Amino acid sequence: MDNRKILVIGGGVAGLEASKQLLRLGLHPVIVERSERLGGHVAGWYKLFPDMRPASDVVNQLVEGVKGATVYLNTRVAYMNRLKDGFSVMLGNGTGLHCRAVLITTGFRLFEAARKEEYGYGVYDRVITNSDLEAWFGGEADGRIPDNPRTVAFVHCVGSRDLKAGNQQCSKVCCMTAVKQAIEMKEKFPDAEIWCFYMDLRLFGKKYEDFYINAQQQYGVHFVRGRVSEVSEDIAGRVVLKAEDTLTGHPVKLSADLLVLMSGMLCNRDTESLAAMVRAEVDSDGFLRSRDNICNVNESNRPGVFFAGACTGAKTVPETLAEARAAALAVYNYMSGND
Amino acid sequence: MIDFGFSLSKSSSIKLDEVDLSLYRRLEEVEPGVRICMGCGSCSATCNASKWSGMSVRKVILDLQRGRDMKEMLSCCMLCGKCSMVCPRGINTRHLILSLCRLYESGK
Ligand SMILES: Cc1cc2nc3c(=O)[nH]c(=O)nc-3n(C[C@H](O)[C@H](O)[C@H](O)COP(=O)(O)OP(=O)(O)OC[C@H]3O[C@@H](n4cnc5c(N)ncnc54)[C@H](O)[C@@H]3O)c2cc1C
Ligand code: SF4
Ligand code: SF4
Ligand code: SF4
């Protein structure tokens, strides 16, 4: 193995963890990240469930781990061609590379909340998303968040489980994110009443149910089973939500000082064009298609093309990291002919 | 009032930020477990009084959280305690009903 270069497309937590492991396995990862920073979405979050560890901590630790890898920021892949012994790659910055394998770790994009027009994102002053709230927790100013909200409402499943919006999948992390953010808001504003409007509470992971019980018991967060059908604004500038409380069977109305939309996770827009370059496939949900969803989640249908993280579907950070490690091993086995 | 020969039915819509939660808040104080009900319905499914009278601890808790008067429903409970045995959140539902009855008594 003379040429040990592995192209890693995307410098989020998946790309970083996989690169760290590739380095340890004696390979040479080349990380191509289209934005100006490493860490992907996690670099924009404040504290991570379930341990409430600062996201910056996790990202710094991962970035530390890729010392020795080649990193290109603000760079995209212009084209990739399959050769007999790997791929010839041209980057947007004019760099040409010859890589033995390609690991795609391009992650997800957040559903554009403005597309659910009935929720008024970008129209009413007091409507933000989960991602906006994380940024604000992290210290970014946000004029939409009032100084002392009395009522804060969270809407689950925004752009998820929504056939009409073109995404029938559950985004998996947003129930937990909502409960986490509800608790964080109550800690910041102890006098506020916090309401979560959900269709189902999907709290599948380690310690997630503890968050739910704590949110109820310790923080008095209210949970209403029903999808918010519309939002309007009253003269005072508060948002007025309408939903059905499906457990009592009554329509309900709530005026809130802040509305937080739990935007879902969708595939990246350029997934298709990227996949086409290496003739990998896109699945019916728009995410990259694994060779097998049980045994070979990390592998594409093409030799030498691997996946890790949220580019194959909604995932949490620990799941992403575990996949990244598995992908590095799959690449190593492929390179060593152990397939 | 002028009689127009027809009447309007009362809106069944609940204004969540205007409901009177004072009774629920007092219940929370003596029965903090009430907060962790997850509406599973185990209590009402197992209740012997339920199919004859409509008794449901789940409904009592939820409707109190929506500011409704649940006094009438409480009178259907035989205080047998079966519901407490099945609640997966470990809420002492029987005791909760007793406490609620006491609150209604004292508020009279
Ligand atoms: C609001 C919110 C809060 C969350 N909070 C938590 C939490 O507390 N705990 C938890 O476990 N999980 C949480 N998650 C999930 C977590 O964000 C994901 O698990 C994680 O981001 C997946 O990492 P990734 O590297 O696969 O993808 P991403 O984070 O999306 O990273 C992908 C990277 O690839 C880059 N990229 C994309 N396309 C290209 C391209 N064509 N060329 C070059 N680069 C490209 C992107 O710029 C990005 O840097 C949360 C998710 C949301 C939406
Ligand atoms: S995790 Fe919860 S909020 Fe997110 S899509 Fe699934 S059910 Fe909806
Ligand atoms: S205590 Fe009351 S509510 Fe509970 S099972 Fe017995 S009759 Fe039903
Ligand atoms: S069994 Fe317990 S958790 Fe379930 S509805 Fe009854 S009181 Fe609530």
Side-chain angles (χ1 to χ4, degrees):
Chain A
M1 283 198 300
D2 257 3
N3 180 2
R4 290 160 184 263
K5 282 200 189 112
I6 311 292
L7 178 66
V8 179
I9 311 174
V13 292
L16 291 172
E17 177 68 23
S19 298
K20 174 173 125 190
Q21 302 298 339
L22 288 169
L23 283 166
R24 288 187 180 170
L25 292 165
L27 301 171
H28 187 114
V30 179
I31 304 174
V32 177
E33 166 57 51
R34 70 174 173 196
S35 75
E36 72 292 339
R37 65 169 183 198
L38 294 171
H41 282 96
V42 179
W45 309 152
Y46 180 54
K47 283 185 180 167
L48 300 179
F49 60 76
D51 291 347
M52 300 309 272
R53 191 164 159 206
S56 56
D57 238 43
V58 173
V59 171
N60 291 341
Q61 183 186 325
L62 291 170
V63 170
E64 198 62 25
V66 298
K67 276 192 184 143
T70 306
V71 178
Y72 295 104
L73 297 178
N74 301 305
T75 307
R76 285 167 188 265
V77 174
Y79 69 78
M80 296 182 267
N81 278 326
R82 185 182 290 276
L83 306 173
K84 235 198 309 198
D85 61 342
F87 299 84
S88 117
V89 179
M90 181 56 80
L91 301 183
N93 62 10
T95 310
L97 299 165
H98 179 203
C99 294
R100 295 289 301 280
V102 175
L103 175 55
I104 304 183
T105 51
T106 46
F108 66 98
R109 79 172 204 274
L110 214 62
F111 175 82
E112 301 83 358
R115 275 177 55 204
K116 294 292 297 172
E117 287 176 323
E118 58 268 45
Y119 294 154
Y121 185 78
V123 180
Y124 305 136
D125 289 338
R126 295 271 183 254
V127 184
I128 64 170
T129 63
N130 43 3
S131 155
D132 298 333
L133 189 56
E134 286 297 319
W136 181 74
F137 284 148
E140 255 174 52
D142 193 328
R144 296 167 295 185
I145 300 172
D147 291 336
N148 217 341
R150 276 179 294 144
T151 312
V152 180
F154 288 83
V155 181
H156 292 225
C157 303
V158 175
S160 307
R161 305 180 69 197
D162 189 334
L163 257 176
K164 207 169 115 203
N167 178 34
Q168 69 214 61
Q169 306 303 320
C170 164
S171 294
K172 229 168 91 164
V173 301
C174 19
C175 271
M176 183 54 212
T177 304
V179 174
K180 183 202 76 152
Q181 292 186 336
I183 290 175
E184 286 172 299
M185 282 310 256
K186 187 75 182 178
E187 277 175 344
K188 277 197 185 288
F189 306 109
D191 297 331
E193 297 290 337
I194 317 275
W195 297 80
C196 287
F197 291 84
Y198 68 94
M199 296 201 286
D200 294 289
L201 282 174
R202 298 187 164 176
L203 297 159
F204 61 96
K206 186 176 170 84
K207 297 203 178 162
Y208 294 8
E209 195 75 12
D210 299 7
F211 272 78
Y212 175 31
I213 296 173
N214 268 344
Q216 289 180 301
Q217 195 161 36
Q218 213 178 315
Y219 296 92
V221 175
H222 309 276
F223 289 89
V224 181
R225 183 172 173 276
R227 189 179 182 106
V228 171
S229 65
E230 60 174 275
V231 174
S232 53
E233 195 175 42
D234 68 10
I235 4 172
R238 304 180 88 203
V239 278
V240 183
L241 287 70
K242 274 193 195 173
E244 187 193 311
D245 177 11
T246 60
L247 294 178
T248 59
H250 289 285
V252 290
K253 256 189 182 180
L254 177 75
S255 311
D257 302 304
L258 182 67
L259 181 65
V260 188
L261 305 177
M262 305 313 293
S263 281
M265 290 163 85
L266 304 184
C267 64
N268 269 318
R269 285 197 196 288
D270 52 3
T271 306
E272 209 148 329
S273 58
L274 204 61
M277 289 185 206
V278 286
R279 301 230 246 126
E281 287 167 49
V282 173
D283 217 334
S284 56
D285 56 6
F287 288 93
L288 289 165
R289 178 193 235 124
S290 299
R291 185 146 79 85
D292 174 288
N293 281 320
I294 296 172
C295 295
N296 307 89
V297 178
N298 290 123
E299 293 166 35
S300 72
N301 284 318
R302 298 280 162 176
V305 180
F306 300 85
F307 308 138
C311 61
T312 55
K315 241 154 254 171
T316 65
V317 172
E319 288 169 336
T320 298
L321 297 181
E323 262 192 20
R325 282 171 221 128
L329 195 59
V331 170
Y332 177 81
N333 283 334
Y334 168 76
M335 297 276 290
S336 328
N338 291 342
D339 261 357
Chain B
M1 261 262 265
I2 306 167
D3 182 3
F4 289 108
F6 62 87
S7 65
L8 286 175
S9 33
K10 215 172 137 256
S11 165
S12 71
S13 177
I14 305 172
K15 291 195 170 120
L16 291 175
D17 42 351
E18 288 171 21
V19 296
D20 177 8
L21 289 179
S22 50
L23 182 65
Y24 178 69
R25 296 294 185 215
R26 273 188 287 152
L27 182 64
E28 272 183 326
E29 275 168 37
V30 284
E31 297 285 345
V34 70
R35 284 185 160 195
I36 59 172
C37 170
M38 56 177 169
C40 72
S42 303
C43 49
S44 26
T46 204
C47 170
N48 283 335
S50 128
K51 62 182 159 202
W52 312 112
S53 66
M55 175 63 206
S56 162
V57 180
R58 177 187 74 78
K59 276 191 190 151
V60 168
I61 294 175
L62 184 63
D63 283 11
L64 277 178
Q65 289 171 340
R66 304 290 178 259
R68 307 197 146 215
D69 183 3
M70 299 312 290
K71 203 169 166 188
E72 212 171 303
M73 189 178 269
L74 292 184
S75 65
C76 305
C77 171
M78 309 174 291
L79 292 173
C80 69
K82 263 182 93 183
C83 49
S84 317
M85 290 186 349
V86 297
C87 174
R89 283 277 169 96
I91 304 168
N92 190 337
T93 43
R94 179 181 175 277
H95 200 266
L96 189 148
I97 294 167
L98 266 176
S99 298
L100 187 56
C101 288
R102 287 200 193 104
L103 286 175
Y104 274 121
E105 275 300 296
S106 67
K108 247 191 343 201

